[in-house]
Every structure is written in structure tokens, then in C-alpha cells.
Amino acid sequence: MNVGIVCYASVGGSGIVATELAKALAARGHQVRLISTERPIRLGEFQAGLAFHEVQTPGYPLFRDPQYLLSLANKLVEVTRAFDLDVIHAHYAIPHAAAGYLARQILAASGRRKVPRIITTLHGTDVTLIGSDPSYSETAAFCIDQSDGVTAVSESLRDDTYRHLPVRAEIQVIPNFLDCRHHRRTVDERLLARYRGADPESKLVIHVSNFRPVKRAGVVVELFRRIREHLPARLLLVGDGPDLAGACRRAQELGLAEDIEPLGEQELVVPLLSLADLCLLPSAQESFGVAALEAMACEVPVVASRVGGLPEVIADGHAGFLHDPDDLDGMTASALGLLTDAALHQRIARGGLQRVHEQFCAEEVVPRYEAFYERVLAGDAASVARA
Ligand code: GMT
């Protein structure tokens, strides 16, 4: 099959999953064209069957902002004509579903006999935050409905989509996944010594995110402060975003600057996750939580908010612990339990690993995307709105 995959390349779960899907499909013999504004961070080296096409969006003095939707649709038309795409798979609805829709209209209007099917995967904030903003909701819902097939990364996101937007399309849930051959605990003792510091009793806590308000980096620092009241610990902050500086400032005010290590954006998270004893994810909203899945794959227990799709990823009490987002006492108690009770830590780490391997490895999930593509190509997953 000839597949075009569109995604945001910046650090973020949707770009990571789209890139992993592109690599996995190419490895299974498909011809895959990854289309984005820059090379996605996880693309890696040359792989047969996988090519990258860059979208360029020139500015012009009359435009207030570059016209990304138009240049992306243009690129989709070009790539379809050159490589005869069967499917365009848009990750993140805004504006990728709209670009797919526009490209399909242009190709059909030009009299092209075979026009690619448009599949949109909803990732979360494209529905719950920005997609449901009144400035976008009509166009977002229309373009989602106009897709030939729609998937969501969790049951929770599927339900949220029907709640937040006037979408009528059938939404198939296909969860996010990892390349489990690569995502496994690999401890580098030198790195561990460096980040744990001189005290061998010290615990390493990690938070990986894009440091936007929804991730609640301030709560991560507060939870770390509470942990530090009971035991020696250090906090690794992986990623970058608008709230990172504020989190570091707060840590300074609390006298914790020495115990915090902001590592910025990192391409390889497995070696860092593998150092950690605990992962904190106290998000306000999370349609899935790829960061939690990556931690579980590296046998790191997660303490997270009971929001959105996180309960579908983390089986509470078996593969991690979930609490209401404002229950900082509960999160602290779970974190301290995991950091002080070796048997509990081992049970939860194993539970998390088992859950990843049972449900969220590429071998399990990628065939579900292939089957969905086949179904859409056969024409029976077309959205209710278009039927
Ligand atoms: O948070 C965002 O807006 C970014 C977006 C992304 O592109 O990574 O995150 C969403 O999609 C991820 C991949 O499916 C999910 O793991 C995240 O939970 C989801 N973020 C939210 O729902 C806040």
C-alpha cells in the first residue's frame, strides 16, 4: 500500500506515534511517505520503504501568519501525484484533516481517477482544547466528518469527541503503541552515578513532557518537594516548553535547585527513563499519555492523574497509581510507597511492563491500523456524515 502520513514533527506524542507507525508500516512492506514541516525527532536513519517530504510554508508581507494549511494541502497533492498514494493518514485533526480534505477535493476536481482515502487520527487537544474552541469547532468537526475513516487513541477521547464536537463519523479506537524491541530498560551505570549524585540511597524521579500548562509542571515540583521532605531524591525534567522556566524558578525558591536536573528536549528517552525510580504525570488532561507508556516499558512505576485516557493505559494499583488531579496528598503517598517499599516497586514495575507487552507493542497495534486502512479502502468505514 502507498501511505502518506502527516504529523507535527516537534516533540509530542502524536508526532512520535505517527513516526513509529510510518517506520513499522515500511518494515511490513508498505511504501510510506512521512510529510511534515521538519524531520520528526524519532525518524532515525535510512529505512527502505520510508521517505520524508518537507512542507515549506513561505511567508509574505501581506500575510499575518504563514499559510500552513494551504502549503500542506499543496504538498499532499504533489506527493499523491508523484507516488500514487492510496491513503493519506492525518495525525492531529487541526489542520491536518482539513489539509487532507482540501487535497482530496483538488485531486478529484482535476479529474484524477484514483483519489486517496483520508484517515484522521484524533490525538487529544485537537478535540478537547483547541478543536472545541469556538474559533475552530465548526471547521474541525466538518473536516473530521469528511474523513473517510476516523480513529481516536483512547475510548475516552472518542467519547470526548462526541461530547465536544458535532461529529457524526464512526470513530474507531486504536491505541498508541511503542516499538517494544527498542523501548526496554537499559541502565547506563555511569549516567546513573552522574544523575543520582554522591548518595547511593538517593532516588531518581522523572517527568517527561512538553511543559505546557496542561502538564502542570508546578505540581510536579510540589510533589517532588513533598517527596524530598521524606527521603533523598533528585528530579530529572525531560523536555521543554513554556512552563519549564517557571518550574525551575519555583524549585530555586524552595531551595531545591541542586536537586533538579532540567535536561531539555531529548531524542532518546529510554536511557533517561531507565535511570528513574518513579515517573510523575499529574496532568490536568491526557487523552492517552505516551510518556506514561514509555515509562512503563522501561519498568518505571507511574503516579498520574485519573483523567482522560490515562486509566486505559495505567491499570490503577497494578501498573501504576492514579489519583484525582488535585489529590496531591494521595499522589505523594503513592510516590513514597513506591520509593520506600522495594516489593511494591517491583510488583508495579512488572505490572506496567506486562501491560505494555500485552496491549501496546507495535506487533499488536500496527496490524489494527493496516486492517483499518483495508476497511476504508474497501469503502465500508466512510463517515456517517458523508454516506
Ligand atoms: O498535548 C498536546 O496537545 C500534544 C499532543 C501531541 O501531539 O502529543 O498530545 C496528545 O496526543 C498524545 C499522543 O496521542 C497523547 O499521548 C497525549 O495524551 C495528548 N495530550 C493531551 O490530551 C493533553
Side-chain angles (χ1 to χ4, degrees):
M1 205 180 294
N2 292 337
V3 184
I5 292 188
V6 185
C7 71
Y8 285 112
S10 57
V11 180
S14 62
I16 291 172
V17 168
T19 307
E20 292 297 341
L21 178 61
K23 294 194 313 196
L25 288 169
R28 292 167 72 90
H30 301 284
Q31 292 297 323
V32 185
R33 311 265 153 198
L34 194 57
I35 300 153
S36 191
T37 51
E38 60 200 284
R39 271 181 82 79
I41 191 155
R42 299 268 177 100
L43 189 55
E45 287 164 9
F46 171 78
Q47 185 184 337
L50 177 58
F52 169 66
H53 297 272
E54 184 179 318
V55 183
Q56 281 171 346
T57 307
Y60 186 70
L62 279 183
F63 302 160
R64 191 156 171 231
D65 299 303
Q67 303 294 313
Y68 172 58
L69 167 60
L70 299 183
S71 59
L72 174 59
N74 206 85
K75 180 58 94 181
L76 294 177
V77 170
E78 262 174 42
V79 173
T80 301
R81 287 205 174 115
F83 304 104
D84 195 25
L85 296 182
D86 299 298
V87 165
I88 291 175
H89 188 169
H91 284 262
Y92 208 88
I94 299 180
H96 298 162
Y101 167 72
L102 189 51
R104 192 183 60 198
Q105 296 302 105
I106 294 168
L107 289 160
S110 72
R112 190 181 167 82
R113 204 177 45 80
K114 179 179 136 194
V115 173
R117 299 298 169 110
I118 310 300
I119 291 174
T120 297
T121 289
L122 307 173
H123 278 274
T125 45
D126 46 353
V127 168
T128 56
L129 208 72
I130 192 71
S132 51
D133 186 292
S135 303
Y136 290 113
S137 55
E138 292 291 345
T139 45
F142 175 81
C143 294
I144 291 169
D145 267 342
Q146 289 296 318
S147 302
D148 298 294
V150 183
T151 78
V153 298
S154 63
E155 308 268 344
S156 150
L157 179 57
R158 180 185 57 194
D159 297 347
D160 277 345
T161 306
Y162 291 129
R163 210 178 8 257
H164 286 286
L165 292 174
V167 163
R168 293 187 295 143
E170 177 195 333
I171 300 174
Q172 168 99 34
V173 175
I174 303 182
N176 288 330
F177 65 93
L178 298 175
D179 177 349
C180 293
R181 290 166 313 168
H182 166 68
H183 275 88
R184 55 193 182 86
R185 189 172 180 81
T186 326
V187 183
D188 177 333
E189 293 296 338
R190 265 186 336 119
L191 262 191
L192 185 59
R194 175 179 176 141
Y195 287 123
R196 182 171 278 169
D199 182 353
E201 295 302 308
S202 180
K203 301 293 182 187
L204 269 181
V205 180
I206 196 165
H207 171 73
V208 184
S209 82
N210 50 18
F211 289 86
R212 287 177 310 113
V214 74
K215 303 292 177 180
R216 304 206 305 165
V219 172
V220 173
V221 173
E222 173 57 17
L223 291 172
F224 179 66
R225 182 192 72 75
R226 292 174 180 214
I227 291 168
R228 278 287 281 102
E229 280 183 350
H230 295 268
L231 44 84
R234 306 199 73 231
L235 174 64
L236 303 180
L237 295 174
V238 182
D240 199 2
D243 287 356
L244 178 61
C248 294
R249 230 178 7 255
R250 181 70 189 133
Q252 264 167 10
E253 287 162 11
L254 294 169
L256 294 172
E258 291 294 297
D259 297 322
I260 293 208
E261 199 78 54
L263 297 170
E265 281 181 9
Q266 293 292 333
E267 186 178 336
L268 300 177
V269 290
V270 169
L272 297 170
L273 283 168
S274 298
L275 305 177
D277 301 291
L278 173 71
C279 172
L280 295 174
L281 196 62
S283 308
Q285 175 57 30
E286 207 69 72
S287 70
F288 184 91
V290 170
L293 195 63
E294 292 187 318
M296 287 156 64
C298 293
E299 299 171 53
V300 183
V302 184
V303 172
S305 299
R306 188 183 292 106
V307 292
L310 280 172
E312 294 169 52
V313 178
I314 303 168
D316 189 21
H318 296 282
F321 289 106
L322 298 172
H323 296 275
D324 289 343
D326 292 328
D327 182 10
L328 302 201
D329 291 346
M331 289 192 198
T332 308
S334 288
L336 288 172
L338 286 162
L339 295 175
T340 54
D341 180 343
L344 176 69
H345 189 279
Q346 191 180 57
R347 178 171 71 76
I348 299 295
R350 285 196 180 148
L353 182 67
Q354 188 181 352
R355 191 164 172 81
V356 172
H357 282 259
E358 278 170 5
Q359 296 190 31
F360 300 110
C361 289
E363 297 72 36
E364 168 67 26
V365 178
V366 175
R368 290 171 66 180
Y369 273 116
E370 287 178 307
F372 189 68
Y373 290 175
E374 296 289 357
R375 201 180 135 206
V376 170
L377 283 169
D380 68 346
S383 68
V384 175
R386 297 184 65 232

